[in-house]
Amino acid sequence: MNEQLVDKLNHVLRQLKHTFIGKDDVIDLMGICLAGRENLFLLGPPGTAKSAVVKALASHIDGRTFEYLLTRFTEPNEIFGPFDIRKLREGELITNTEGMLPEAAFIFLDELLNANSAILNSLLMVLNERVFRRGRETRQLPALMVVGASNHLPEDEALQALYDRFLIRVKCDYVDPQQLSAVLQAGWQLEQTNDSVTASITHDDISQLQQQISLVNLDAVRPDYLTLIQQLRNAGLQVSDRRAVKLQRLIAASALVSKRTTAQRSDMWVLRYIWDTEEQQPIIAAIVDEMINSEPAGEQEHPRARHSGLPDADEIYRELQQMTIQWNDSALSPADKAAIKDRLRYLNGRCEWITNPTRREYVMQPITSLWQQIMQQS
């Protein structure tokens, strides 16, 4: 293993985390998909820095990038390039791909699910096989990674095949209100910095990393992996054989990024992010966490392995008790009251992710009680 290449990638990821507060999970998953040469789908409402964090990663990669905002009316020429007029006069249908998707090392397709049938089939081949085919024209693509983003999940059955080509799905949401101050400070520093890109990694570096995926030994985790796939299928998640095979690359990528050539059970953390719907997220995370936590922490675990993002009911309950005391303080300022309301809305949303009904009800009672106090004093 070339640890210098791993260090380069991790350096880039650390710099992105410093810039984009509260987006560590998104950034870590982009690093895993980049090393594993798999596609990543970002789901989130406008204004959650989906595009910004992807573009920032692209700016750290020394290679051609392609980004495009898809609409229902996007034509293939806008993505893949127009036909070469000179060749067309000679009777050949050859695409002029200069500056377009087929020549890019890093591809970002914003509002991906607006894709229409005219470009759907071509995109499917790009995503699955890294091949561009148009008429008799066929060429291998240099794409290291494709990122798609949308503020909604696919509703049209025709888009399910496109969505399925994104092995990893991650929710990019508004940050915790307690982190907002740090977000504002980081954003302002970014505005004042002209040369913010100090870490970089080349196309060749990433290609070498991707080739080293095959060096990772998965034998030790394969029995556990088979068990986990079966558990997820029993829970209702459609994990096809194709997806199960490809996910092994991301387990290996987790080990590689952690500077190991042998996978361990904790590397299966990436399976938390293979959901099809938002409702599946806490269920899948709970199943994966149970598998990971069934053994003690290993050496050089990936930093995301033990951080599922699921809410801790006891921790939320203690915070609510403290917030109730603060709210009843007669010296509380209007600004502090507004902050408590924002935090309470956030915690209310977090409670939806508590999978145990009894513990969820245990936490919702003080939330309801505090809201009643707030409404009575309004």
Side-chain angles (χ1 to χ4, degrees):
M1 178 200 303
N2 190 330
E3 292 192 1
Q4 290 183 337
L5 297 180
V6 176
D7 287 337
K8 274 190 175 183
L9 177 60
N10 285 331
H11 187 195
V12 168
L13 299 180
R14 281 195 299 271
Q15 184 162 330
L16 290 176
K17 290 177 186 179
H18 180 72
T19 303
F20 295 95
I21 307 298
K23 305 296 180 187
D24 287 11
D25 56 343
V26 175
I27 293 166
D28 280 327
L29 286 163
M30 288 198 303
I32 291 294
C33 288
L34 193 57
R37 206 187 185 205
E38 289 295 341
N39 309 317
L40 179 141
F41 178 83
L42 283 174
L43 173 69
T48 52
K50 297 189 302 295
S51 301
V53 70
V54 175
K55 291 176 182 178
L57 175 60
S59 70
H60 288 267
I61 298 174
D62 182 16
R64 294 184 178 182
T65 63
F66 178 82
E67 60 180 77
Y68 205 82
L69 177 65
L70 297 178
T71 72
R72 291 178 300 162
F73 308 105
T74 301
E75 298 181 355
N77 289 355
E78 300 174 56
I79 303 293
F80 304 107
F83 286 115
D84 190 318
I85 300 298
R86 291 169 299 179
K87 296 290 184 180
L88 191 59
R89 289 170 180 166
E90 299 171 5
E92 294 184 74
L93 291 178
I94 302 296
T95 306
N96 180 4
T97 59
E98 184 177 356
M100 308 303 284
L101 181 148
E103 296 187 1
F106 188 94
I107 300 168
F108 174 44
L109 300 174
D110 202 0
E111 295 303 335
L112 171 81
L113 299 180
N114 286 334
N116 55 54
S117 58
I119 61 175
L120 193 56
N121 289 337
S122 296
L123 278 179
L124 289 176
M125 295 202 69
V126 168
L127 294 168
N128 198 43
E129 303 173 37
R130 298 293 193 265
V131 168
F132 169 59
R133 181 174 295 164
R134 202 176 196 183
R136 296 182 180 179
E137 187 179 7
T138 302
R139 67 176 78 178
Q140 291 290 328
L141 303 182
L144 300 168
M145 178 184 180
V146 182
V147 178
S150 177
N151 56 22
H152 63 89
L153 292 174
E155 299 173 358
D156 189 340
E157 188 66 29
L159 294 172
Q160 287 293 339
L162 182 67
Y163 181 57
D164 189 60
R165 295 306 191 273
F166 289 83
L167 203 57
I168 292 296
R169 294 85 182 261
V170 57
K171 184 74 180 292
C172 187
D173 217 335
Y174 297 110
V175 300
D176 185 328
Q178 292 186 337
Q179 293 181 301
L180 185 56
S181 177
V183 170
L184 297 176
Q185 183 177 357
W188 186 243
Q189 288 177 348
L190 189 61
E191 290 285 339
Q192 296 175 315
T193 305
N194 296 322
D195 55 346
S196 58
V197 179
T198 57
S200 65
I201 188 168
T202 67
H203 181 285
D204 289 341
D205 290 339
I206 298 172
S207 293
Q208 289 181 50
L209 266 180
Q210 293 177 345
Q211 291 168 12
Q212 291 181 33
I213 288 293
S214 61
L215 301 177
V216 177
N217 189 329
L218 299 179
D219 291 346
V221 301
R222 191 161 283 118
D224 292 329
Y225 178 60
L226 288 170
T227 299
L228 185 55
I229 290 296
Q230 193 60 53
Q231 289 175 338
L232 292 172
R233 286 175 171 176
N234 291 340
L237 181 67
Q238 299 297 319
V239 186
S240 66
D241 292 346
R242 178 180 63 82
R243 292 186 74 190
V245 170
K246 289 171 73 69
L247 279 166
Q248 294 178 111
R249 289 187 59 84
L250 298 184
I251 293 173
S254 172
L256 191 68
V257 169
S258 304
K259 296 184 178 181
R260 286 181 280 106
T261 54
T262 301
Q264 55 192 32
R265 190 177 297 181
S266 62
D267 291 316
M268 292 191 289
W269 69 271
V270 295
L271 272 73
R272 296 186 192 121
Y273 301 91
I274 62 171
W275 44 267
D276 294 323
T277 66
E278 291 188 70
E279 291 74 20
Q280 292 175 342
Q281 293 180 49
I283 299 170
I284 293 173
I287 293 172
V288 174
D289 286 351
E290 184 177 5
M291 172 64 76
I292 292 175
N293 295 328
S294 63
E295 72 173 13
E299 294 184 2
Q300 294 178 284
E301 283 192 345
H302 191 282
R304 193 117 317 258
R306 306 277 171 171
H307 293 82
S308 68
L310 290 177
D312 184 318
D314 292 329
E315 184 178 324
I316 293 176
Y317 186 86
R318 287 192 294 269
E319 183 176 353
L320 287 167
Q321 296 297 102
Q322 186 61 37
M323 287 168 62
T324 302
I325 294 172
Q326 291 175 344
W327 181 262
N328 291 316
D329 185 349
S330 59
L332 195 68
S333 69
D336 289 335
K337 287 186 176 182
I340 288 177
K341 290 178 183 179
D342 286 342
R343 182 64 181 171
L344 192 57
R345 292 188 190 97
Y346 175 79
L347 293 177
N348 187 75
R350 290 284 289 160
C351 287
E352 296 178 5
W353 297 98
I354 299 176
T355 54
N356 185 301
T358 303
R359 295 183 69 79
R360 184 168 59 246
E361 179 63 25
Y362 162 75
V363 175
M364 286 303 298
Q365 287 178 357
I367 288 180
T368 302
S369 176
L370 183 52
W371 270 126
Q372 289 174 348
Q373 291 186 46
I374 291 172
M375 296 301 294
Q376 289 172 0
Q377 297 180 23
S378 297

